[in-house]
Amino acid sequence: MYLSFGRSGPAHIRNKTATPLHMISRRRFLQRTLAVAATASLTGAAAATPAFNIRAGRRVLILGAGLAGLSAARLLRQAGYTVTVLEARNRIGGRVFSHEIMPGLVIELGAEWVGASHDRLRALCEMLELPLQDNRFETHLLYKGEYSPAGSWHYDPAWKQTLQARLEAFQALGTQDLKTLDQTDWWRYLKETGISERDLDIRELADSTDFGESIRHVSAFSALSEYAYSSPYNEMDYKITGGNSRLPMALADRVGREHIRLGHKVVAVDQSGRGVRVSCDNGTQVEADALICSLPTYAISQIRWNPALPADQAAAIRALQYARIAKHATVFSRRFWPDEAFDLLTDVYGHYFYHGTKSQPGPAGALVSFTTGDKADVIGRQSQAFRRQMVADTLRPAFGEVGDLITRDMIYYWGNDPLTQGAYAMYGKGQYLDLQPVLQARFRRTLFAGEHLADWQGFMEGAVQTGEDAARELMG
């Protein structure tokens, strides 16, 4: 799924003004913060976990053949464990979903970017001999009908300095200050910095592409902890040459395709005995000594757990929302946009466009319209004719009539995905510090992984890290 779908906010001045903090990494900062929060949050989940040794036994079941599940499986197989991966879909990769929209042109319907700060993911790509290509953009703006090319529009300089100072001070805040930030939404926080209405409009448009919903629903803690540590291009730096799906495919080869069972949707997990028994909707049952669940929370909530999940963990699973994101790719017979590094932030239905076939050969190319929240829900329900007209209408102020250049298009609306009901996790106001420690807690012989448990939501990096973390915890 995920990942950095993802988190595909435009890389305009918002991020280039901020220098990533270097005193400690974002991961260490969040782990330290969550460790403090966990002392108050872990109640039922911790109490319900018997004190047995999860490391006993060598048979491990993994739910989900996305990056988290496959990353865990690779390490366990490497250490000699017997591993079985169960995947509900009929394909490998989960929310990493490359698609050849026409011969020679590959777009990403799911995870899009590899960030410059994503050390684990980049090292994994290097180990698997998957080359990365530049995928950075220079953002153009279409606001209130006026088109501004990249480099010609700016935020108020004085306000930028104010925000930069707050980003630099963020790391030194105490626990209570961080909890207060987590109870504050990002829109209100920005409003209180003295931002102008025009700049706040643009931040809403830009930042909502990061979080997948309006910034009125996003925790200020989540936003600050992302922007204080992001690369200058907000982790929109690279992608895997030939398609990001090459990564889960390469991991599957390392695990062994014979150990991955597609079309096996898990409906029940029984931990009442000495091991784990998993039942699938096709009648298959599989037993093991331990389980790693890398499913998104909606899928977890559809499983019958025996014994039942602790009340606080079940409540956290129900509470966490996933971003409604639609990716609508339109192929044009020629690339009329100014350059390969083109993207465009708009205040109309198309929301955010970027060149989805950057650096791929040929005169034809695809622009991807990335819509979030209510916009994505509306666009996801419309006809092909409506969507094509929407694209042409949105681009007209900048490039004139381009509708006749459209040759094909397709859309994937993650809000309707039957297994996820969204693209990636979005921690709302007051949720991050309270929910994540509960969601991370081991339950009997089950460990959890997935981008919703990562330092940053919506990134392939987080999926890989949480999968590997779960495997290492199991191995001791």
Side-chain angles (χ1 to χ4, degrees):
M1 311 183 83
Y2 349 76
L3 318 164
S4 196
F5 247 86
R7 297 308 265 223
S8 62
H12 47 57
I13 298 169
R14 173 194 66 197
N15 306 304
K16 294 178 186 178
T17 58
T19 301
L21 301 179
H22 60 274
M23 292 174 62
I24 60 173
S25 70
R26 184 179 195 269
R27 185 157 219 232
R28 287 178 57 200
F29 168 76
L30 287 177
Q31 286 174 335
R32 183 184 66 188
T33 303
L34 285 173
V36 174
T39 59
S41 299
L42 292 179
T43 54
T49 300
F52 57 70
N53 182 9
I54 197 172
R55 300 179 186 90
R58 306 287 289 182
R59 298 174 304 158
V60 181
L61 274 173
I62 296 176
L63 307 189
L67 284 185
L70 293 173
S71 296
R74 182 188 72 86
L75 287 187
L76 290 168
R77 285 280 295 153
Q78 186 175 290
Y81 283 72
T82 299
V83 173
T84 301
V85 181
L86 301 177
E87 169 56 51
R89 302 183 195 273
N90 289 315
R91 62 174 176 83
I92 289 168
R95 285 170 283 174
V96 181
F97 191 9
S98 303
H99 175 73
E100 190 173 43
I101 195 167
M102 64 176 290
L105 292 181
V106 177
I107 61 169
E108 305 296 339
L109 296 176
E112 188 82 34
W113 277 277
V114 177
S117 302
H118 295 170
D119 296 336
R120 183 68 203 104
L121 184 59
R122 295 179 65 188
L124 188 60
C125 288
E126 183 176 359
M127 183 195 75
L128 296 171
E129 299 182 343
L130 300 175
L132 300 177
Q133 66 184 53
D134 184 277
N135 202 35
R136 290 171 288 194
F137 296 99
E138 299 296 333
T139 302
H140 304 235
L141 177 66
L142 185 60
Y143 178 67
K144 293 186 175 180
E146 181 179 343
Y147 169 61
S148 300
S152 68
W153 64 278
H154 308 277
Y155 290 120
D156 175 71
W159 176 78
K160 286 194 299 181
Q161 290 181 359
T162 297
L163 182 61
Q164 177 65 18
R166 295 198 180 198
L167 291 171
E168 292 173 352
F170 173 71
Q171 186 174 273
L173 295 178
T175 302
Q176 188 54 53
D177 290 329
L178 297 177
K179 288 183 177 180
T180 299
L181 283 173
D182 200 30
Q183 295 290 336
T184 305
D185 65 78
W186 184 228
W187 179 88
R188 185 171 297 276
Y189 180 91
L190 290 174
K191 188 80 171 174
E192 292 172 353
T193 63
I195 190 172
S196 70
E197 290 300 320
R198 177 260 191 190
D199 286 357
L200 183 59
D201 284 348
I202 297 173
R203 289 293 305 212
E204 167 69 65
L205 294 168
D207 295 2
S208 63
T209 62
D210 275 344
F211 299 104
E213 297 284 346
S214 168
I215 62 175
R216 292 173 183 258
H217 305 314
V218 174
S219 157
F221 171 86
S222 294
L224 282 167
S225 62
E226 173 165 336
Y227 298 141
Y229 286 88
S230 282
S231 70
Y233 277 80
N234 195 33
E235 309 306 334
M236 293 172 62
D237 297 291
Y238 308 104
K239 67 190 304 182
I240 297 172
T241 302
N244 290 334
S245 285
R246 293 182 64 196
L247 175 56
M249 295 302 178
L251 288 172
D253 289 339
R254 292 295 182 102
V255 172
R257 300 292 179 102
E258 67 276 16
H259 301 294
I260 302 172
R261 302 186 188 182
L262 301 178
H264 282 63
K265 182 180 180 180
V266 173
V267 296
V269 173
D270 191 326
Q271 300 184 97
S272 60
R274 300 186 62 180
V276 180
R277 184 191 304 116
V278 167
S279 301
C280 300
D281 62 349
N282 59 9
T284 300
Q285 289 192 339
V286 188
E287 295 185 355
D289 302 303
L291 176 71
I292 293 177
C293 178
S294 69
L295 304 179
T297 57
Y298 176 77
I300 297 173
S301 73
Q302 301 304 295
I303 295 173
R304 299 189 305 274
W305 294 81
N306 181 32
L309 291 168
D312 57 349
Q313 199 164 35
I317 287 168
R318 291 194 302 271
L320 184 62
Q321 289 286 330
Y322 279 55
R324 295 172 295 169
I325 286 174
K327 299 185 82 169
H328 175 223
T330 304
V331 177
F332 297 88
S333 57
R334 63 177 176 85
R335 303 181 187 188
F336 56 82
W337 42 96
D339 51 59
E340 290 291 284
F342 170 79
D343 69 356
L344 174 69
L345 186 66
T346 83
D347 59 352
V348 289
Y349 271 136
H351 199 152
Y352 171 55
F353 290 82
Y354 63 90
H355 183 191
T357 51
K358 180 182 178 183
S359 302
Q360 297 181 41
L367 293 181
V368 177
S369 169
F370 185 101
T371 52
T372 68
D374 291 341
K375 286 181 183 176
D377 189 59
V378 170
I379 295 300
R381 286 190 269 108
Q382 302 308 312
S383 67
Q384 182 186 62
F386 179 97
R387 288 193 291 264
R388 288 191 175 191
Q389 190 64 51
M390 176 271 293
V391 169
D393 290 345
T394 300
L395 296 175
R396 186 177 296 112
F399 303 109
E401 296 297 335
V402 297
D404 291 343
L405 300 177
I406 296 175
T407 62
R408 66 186 68 189
D409 69 307
M410 69 172 299
I411 188 170
Y412 198 90
Y413 175 43
W414 285 93
N416 284 342
D417 185 274
L419 299 177
T420 65
Q421 298 293 288
Y424 46 76
M426 184 203 74
Y427 283 91
K429 185 175 68 174
Q431 287 191 325
Y432 193 93
L433 297 178
D434 288 339
L435 294 190
Q436 198 175 81
V438 178
L439 292 168
Q440 289 175 336
R442 172 171 66 88
F443 175 54
R444 292 182 174 258
R445 295 182 181 272
T446 298
L447 297 168
F448 294 93
E451 58 83 28
H452 63 290
L453 303 179
D455 308 325
W456 283 344
Q457 281 58 64
F459 280 118
M460 292 184 283
E461 171 85 352
V464 170
Q465 285 183 339
T466 61
E468 292 182 342
D469 287 348
R472 292 190 181 101
E473 182 179 348
L474 191 150
M475 292 186 292

